[in-house]
Every structure is written in C-alpha cells, then in structure tokens.
Amino acid sequence: MTETVQISLQDAFSLLAQVFERSGAPKGVATSVAHALVAAESEGQIGHGFSRVADYAAQLQSGKINPNADMVLTRPAPASLHVLADYGFAYPAIDAALAAGLPLAREMGIAVMTIGNSHHCGALAIHVEKIAQAGLVGLMVANTPKAIAPWGAKDPVFGTNPIAFATPVKDAPPLVIDLSLSVVARGKVMAAKKAGKPIPKGWALDAKGQPTTDPEAALEGTMLPIGDAKGTTLALMIEVLASALTGSAFSAEAGSFFHADGPRPNVGQTIIAIDPGSRSDFGARVKTLLDQIAAMPGARLPGARRHAAIARAESDGLQVPAHLFHQVQKLANPDAQT
C-alpha cells in the first residue's frame, strides 16, 4: 500500500501556491494554478493534481511556461471571445474567458470562448462545473500533445483530447461529465511512472505497437482510444475545435506537458456556454431524466464517485502519496532541513 500524507485543502493550496511563486509565477497566476490543481486532486483526478507540480515548476524556471504571460482577450464576433494565453498557464486564461464569457452567454444566449497559445488545462470538470453553477450549460474541449494513433495506424497524431460537459439540475448539484478519448488519461500513466508502478493491460501500446504494462514504454508509444475507431474520430473532431479554431498547434506539433526543455505545447481549448433562457423548466426536465436513470436497477449516474471524493476531501482533507508530498514540500522550501 502506498504511504500517504494527509493535508487540508487550505494547506494544500497554500503549499502549491508557494511553489509556483517561488518558481517565478506572479501571485495571481500562482493562486489560479494552485486552486485548479487542488480541485483536481480533491475530485480524484490525481494525474492533474500534486503529480503535476514538479513539472510545472521546472517549466516555469526554464521559460517553457511564460511566467509573465501578457494575456489578450478580444471579442471577434458578438457571441465569441478569444484569449491569447501567450504561452503561459492555461488556468488564468480560462478564468479570464469565463469571467467575460458567462455574462456574454446571458446577454447573447450563447458564448463561444477560444483560448490559444495555451498549456495543460488539467481536469476539465472543474471549469465546466463553474458554468453550470452559474445556471448555464457548459461544453469544453482541449487538445493535448500527440498520444493516440489514427485507427489502423501506429504513429500518434491526436492527443488524448478531453471533452467535458456540465448542466444545472434543479434542487441538485450540477451534472458533470469529464472524459479523455484514451481509455484513461495520460496523466495516470505519468503518475504510475513517478510512483514506479506498472499500468494495467489495455491502457497503452509501446512504440512498436505492442501492448505494454510499462508506463515508460507507454509514454513513448500510444494510448488506446475509447470506442476503437469511434474514439479516434472524436479525437479528430476535437482537434479541429481546440486547435484549428483557436490558432494553436495540432497535437502532433505540440511540445510536451511534462519536460522542461523542448518546444512549448502551444495547445488550445474551446469552451461553449449556453443559456437555457426562457425554458424555465430546463433544470427540472434534466432532473426528471436523471431520476429515471437513477431508478433503474444497476444504473449509475456519471459523477457519483466524483461528488463522494469532493465531499471526503472537504471533510477530511487530501491523502497525497508521500513521495509527491515531500517533493512538493521541498520545492516550496528548498532550504528547509529534511
């Protein structure tokens, strides 16, 4: 069993923010990134939480992540916004897009927010949930560095290209759906590598196209898509929406999220917010549908485990693998005695 360290959400946030400030990020940027990573860890998305801190810090220090990004937000059309992230963190760019985009969606009925020249955006669930909490329907897609081969081919072209959706539900928390188009998120493979553990069969292929349980070989090879050919078709759709539409690099051109050297990722994200408007029974209609599903024997609604994980984290704090906790602690206080 992996040894863990228990830490409160507030202490986790303070620790991570300290790392990013020490690594060169302005206070507001460090705050945005720390909030996103703690939220991801809270909901059980461990590949987007503490496991990312050392990589982010190294990329800040090397300049691969622009610590002083000069974001530019424009409104190219009445119902659309575009944010140039200037090769900085994705999180403050997403924050800026939502701050302007949610009022725009209420004004126009819909808002399309595109983010270009961006970086890893973590767990999409935390972003679309904010849209649903504002009473709107949210959809988000993102492209990531190449990891999935077109169906029938061996060489990766598409990223794991996640997609997320959230909707308000009357008298209940929002319904939030977040999935990558690989069988599992690539961050889980990286987390397994850092923990020195094998990955299950069926997650990935090595560089020769053979099944592997070695996370390092998997990272050098390709991830298996969900739904076989259908998964790669969806990855292509997201590639167009997140990359071509935002003016960002295609997944096959993007730099790594993990290494401090090499080209910047320069990936993109697209977010859509829809106002149900005069359909005053919208939230009730969604609840009726979800209640019908929940009443079926054996059925499980998406998000049940996520809600339970968040509730545990809010009550008891986080259980962080000890090796990651001590790594982050050292980054926050490099001169401290161990």
Side-chain angles (χ1 to χ4, degrees):
M1 188 176 225
T2 303
E3 182 185 354
T4 61
V5 174
Q6 186 169 339
I7 182 172
S8 72
L9 295 182
Q10 181 57 48
D11 287 348
F13 162 73
S14 298
L15 181 64
L16 268 56
Q18 185 176 346
V19 171
F20 299 131
E21 282 196 72
R22 181 175 283 275
S23 300
K27 184 176 181 63
V29 172
T31 296
S32 174
V33 178
H35 272 307
L37 267 61
V38 171
E41 192 81 37
S42 298
E43 65 178 44
Q45 294 280 6
I46 58 173
H48 298 308
F50 269 68
S51 67
R52 295 278 178 167
V53 176
D55 295 327
Y56 282 5
Q59 290 177 62
L60 274 171
Q61 291 164 359
S62 73
K64 188 173 182 178
I65 296 175
N66 183 358
N68 298 301
D70 183 16
M71 289 187 301
V72 177
L73 187 151
T74 57
R75 187 175 174 179
S80 68
L81 299 171
H82 184 59
V83 180
L84 280 174
D86 193 27
Y87 308 104
F89 280 110
Y91 306 109
I94 293 169
D95 291 344
L98 292 177
L102 300 191
L104 181 62
R106 294 191 189 95
E107 174 191 347
M108 304 298 297
I110 188 170
V112 179
M113 297 155 266
T114 53
I115 300 165
N117 308 135
S118 191
H119 197 271
H120 176 248
C121 64
L124 274 62
I126 65 175
H127 309 306
V128 294
E129 186 173 47
K130 293 175 184 176
I131 301 174
Q133 288 171 338
L136 307 171
V137 179
L139 180 70
M140 180 175 180
V141 296
N143 79 312
T144 67
K146 63 181 182 181
I148 296 176
W151 192 247
K154 187 179 73 171
D155 297 325
V157 170
F158 309 123
T160 56
N161 290 10
I163 182 170
F165 169 86
T167 180
V169 182
K170 185 176 181 180
D171 300 327
L175 171 68
V176 179
I177 298 169
D178 181 1
L179 54 93
S180 70
L181 297 184
S182 53
V183 173
V184 297
R186 202 159 185 249
K188 290 187 176 181
V189 179
M190 177 56 75
K193 178 185 174 183
K194 291 180 178 180
K197 294 183 176 181
I199 59 173
K201 291 181 179 178
W203 279 17
L205 306 176
D206 64 19
K208 296 180 180 179
Q210 298 301 310
T212 183
T213 59
D214 180 349
E216 188 164 357
L219 291 169
E220 293 173 356
T222 59
M223 302 293 293
L224 286 168
I226 60 171
D228 298 336
K230 293 179 180 178
T232 56
T233 301
L234 285 170
L236 173 58
M237 291 167 53
I238 292 175
E239 198 77 26
V240 172
L241 289 172
S243 176
L245 191 63
T246 67
S248 303
F250 289 119
S251 293
E253 304 165 336
S256 170
F257 285 157
F258 299 114
H259 303 129
D261 56 359
R264 288 166 164 167
N266 189 24
V267 292
Q269 295 96 29
T270 291
I271 305 170
I272 300 172
I274 304 169
D275 186 0
S278 60
R279 293 177 288 279
S280 59
D281 65 340
F282 174 78
R285 292 277 291 156
V286 175
K287 188 172 191 307
T288 296
L289 174 61
L290 299 184
D291 288 346
Q292 288 175 348
I293 296 170
M296 298 173 68
R300 182 175 64 85
L301 288 171
R305 284 182 292 188
R306 176 176 178 269
H307 286 307
I310 292 172
R312 282 195 303 272
E314 291 174 344
S315 172
D316 305 329
L318 301 173
Q319 294 290 336
V320 180
H323 71 283
L324 285 178
F325 175 79
H326 294 307
Q327 179 188 60
V328 172
Q329 196 174 46
K330 187 173 182 179
L331 288 170
N333 300 285
D335 300 324
Q337 295 295 320
T338 58

